[in-house]
Amino acid sequence: MSLRSRWRRGLATGLVACLTIVAFPAQARTARPNFVVIVVDDAAFMDFGAYGGEARTPTIDHLARRGALFMNYHTSPLCSPSRAMLLTGVDNHRTGHATIEEVMPPQLRGRPGYTLRLEPGVLTIADRLKANGYRTLMAGKWHLGRGDGDLPDRHGFDRSLALDASGADNYVQRPYMPYYDRAPWFEDGAPTRLPPRFYSSDLLVDRLISYIDEGPPGAAPYFAYLAFQAVHIPVQVPRRFSDNYAGEFSDGWEALRERRWKRARDLHLIPEDAPLAQFPSRLRRWRDLSQQEKEMSARSMEVYSGMLEAMDQAIGRLVSRIQARGELERTVFVITSDNGPEPSDPVHANGMVLWMALNGYHWDRSRMGEEGSLAFIGPEWAASISSPHSLYKFYASEGGLKAPLIITGPGVTAGGRSRALTFVTDVAPTLLEMAGAPLQTPGERVPISGRSLAATLREDTAEVRGPEEDVGVEVSGNAALFRGDFKIVRNMPHVGDGRWRLYNLRVDPGETRDLASQDPQRFADMLAAYDAYAERNGVLPLPEGYQVERQVMRNGLNKQLQHNALWLALIVGLVLGAAYFAIMRRKPRHNSDRAPRL
């Protein structure tokens, strides 16, 4: 099929999806809705068109208009902790996913809360809904453990195609970083091989559709979990999508950051007089780049936007299929991101030139985003697209924690905009309440700690928490505690300095004015509340001198040594053998047959 034909088919699919979304009633009556939970990987708060982003996301935008848009929703700053909380409604430390394996210091590995697996007694939404007659399906990134009993099939999912890694290539089955020696995909708990060629967003939607179609339309309701690789590194998408954004970002990251800030005010995402978050002083300025560097960098954002558009088109096909089954009016959609945008630059890390060459990757502007491209947006663009907020993934500032959340379907008032303080643990109890399933079972060891958002779905002015109720979060030392409009936050080196600060997010969502010295009593009270949260949930102190970037390098090196232990042993053996023979050849010979002189 030609590129033009594929483009026309994609456009038609998107239009059908948009029309069918508009057609279904926002208040459809159903006692047991289907659920489709869609998680985008590393998307910024404003990345979707509904939130003012540049990418063309018509399917997501129409879903947003037919449902509720959340303006004050927060996650953790890293993927596995957020996904564990989303799927369980339980604090990440109590699930076993205090952090991710790539940044875990060895001193904490295996401790309670730091086992990197869903620990005994932790139940997922799939566990709970399956017990209440739901079919449970998933396709996409898992990253919650691949050992015995750790995969989705042992945590409530009837069918699953799962990647248990932080990411992977989007075109072929191979790893994207030296930490992994393969791309570990599993279907229904068993290792599996993907097709020789695919595109990840299409592959995941196709597989999820096939799982949905295994049940007759209108029969048992289903819970479907769709966890995209978009827009995680490697940022990859076919040119027919990335070329739609040619020239869009040629004026640089400071300009985009300013545009998003102004758009956030125009859309009333933030107050009219809210100051813009400071651009990190250690990052490069656009004016200091060479023309070649500017072109490379701008192209990476074109690919990033195209990847969001391709994902949205795939979601459109899913929506169209659910409509064709006659089930759209009884399906609740949840669309969110696991954390803020990814700042990492994998290409220029030590040893990556050799690793890329050995694994078939390139960093070439003319082929950026296509198969073999190891594209990324880097810290400057990440700081830009997190606007109007501060910082990005890994850190507990709003740019790392604040994420989009859209909920639409039966029982959800169209056009809602909730400003209530909400957290990732609130999704599970919300869906359970909508399904009429119990939030707790007799003798349950690890109860849900999140709050249901059902009231805000009916009336967007409803509150979820009282003004003095706290929500805490901690991942790898980066931590925050929310109380009403206020937040204390600590970011660790090298980006942060390990100090706690106090902000009023209602008037200062960019965290520009530290109020700790102006309001010392509130600051002290919230610090004490964080200590109580940490004690209650088993947060452990980090080793002295811990830094995320250094730990990633150490863990990656250790993994490489494990992956290549046989080859290294062989090389060492050959070197030692060669050295032995060289020494033996130089050693003087003694002829014992020679007759002694008299």
Side-chain angles (χ1 to χ4, degrees), residues 38 44 93 102 124 139 185 310 329 377 452 488 556 560-561:
I38 299 172
H93 296 83
E102 292 86 347
T124 67
W185 285 92
E329 70 279 0
I377 63 170
S452 172
I488 57 170
Q560 281 292 292
L561 292 175

Side-chain angles (χ1 to χ4, degrees), residues 22-43:
V22 171
F24 83 80
Q27 297 282 3
R29 296 179 181 176
T30 176
R32 289 166 60 79
N34 300 317
F35 297 108
V36 177
V37 176
I38 299 172
V39 178
V40 186
D41 204 335
D42 296 349

Side-chain angles (χ1 to χ4, degrees), residues 522-583:
R522 185 188 305 273
F523 185 53
D525 289 347
M526 292 183 70
L527 285 175
Y530 174 80
D531 289 340
Y533 155 81
E535 177 69 24
R536 187 167 61 250
N537 290 284
V539 178
L540 298 178
L542 291 167
E544 187 72 26
Y546 172 87
Q547 283 192 17
V548 165
E549 293 81 3
R550 285 206 296 256
Q551 196 64 57
V552 167
M553 294 296 295
R554 290 170 183 165
N555 289 351
L557 178 59
N558 288 337
K559 279 288 184 179
Q560 281 292 292
L561 292 175
Q562 293 174 27
H563 299 331
N564 299 290
L566 182 61
W567 286 107
L568 290 172
L570 180 61
I571 291 170
V572 170
L574 290 173
V575 169
L576 291 176
Y580 172 79
F581 284 111
I583 292 170

Side-chain angles (χ1 to χ4, degrees), residues 15 21 417:
L15 289 173
I21 292 167
R417 280 191 162 207

Side-chain angles (χ1 to χ4, degrees), residues 370-392:
E370 299 176 42
E371 183 178 335
S373 170
L374 189 58
F376 63 95
I377 63 170
E380 290 86 3
W381 283 122
S384 171
I385 63 176
S386 68
S387 177
H389 304 119
S390 175
L391 293 180
Y392 30 64

Side-chain angles (χ1 to χ4, degrees), residues 32 128-129 131-132 134 429 431-440:
R32 289 166 60 79
R128 296 175 187 274
L129 289 179
N132 283 271
Y134 272 73
L431 302 190
L432 292 171
E433 181 174 338
M434 296 177 82
L439 300 187
Q440 190 169 353

Side-chain angles (χ1 to χ4, degrees), residues 395-410:
Y395 298 99
S397 292
E398 290 293 273
L401 300 185
K402 198 166 186 178
L405 175 65
I406 297 164
I407 303 179
T408 185

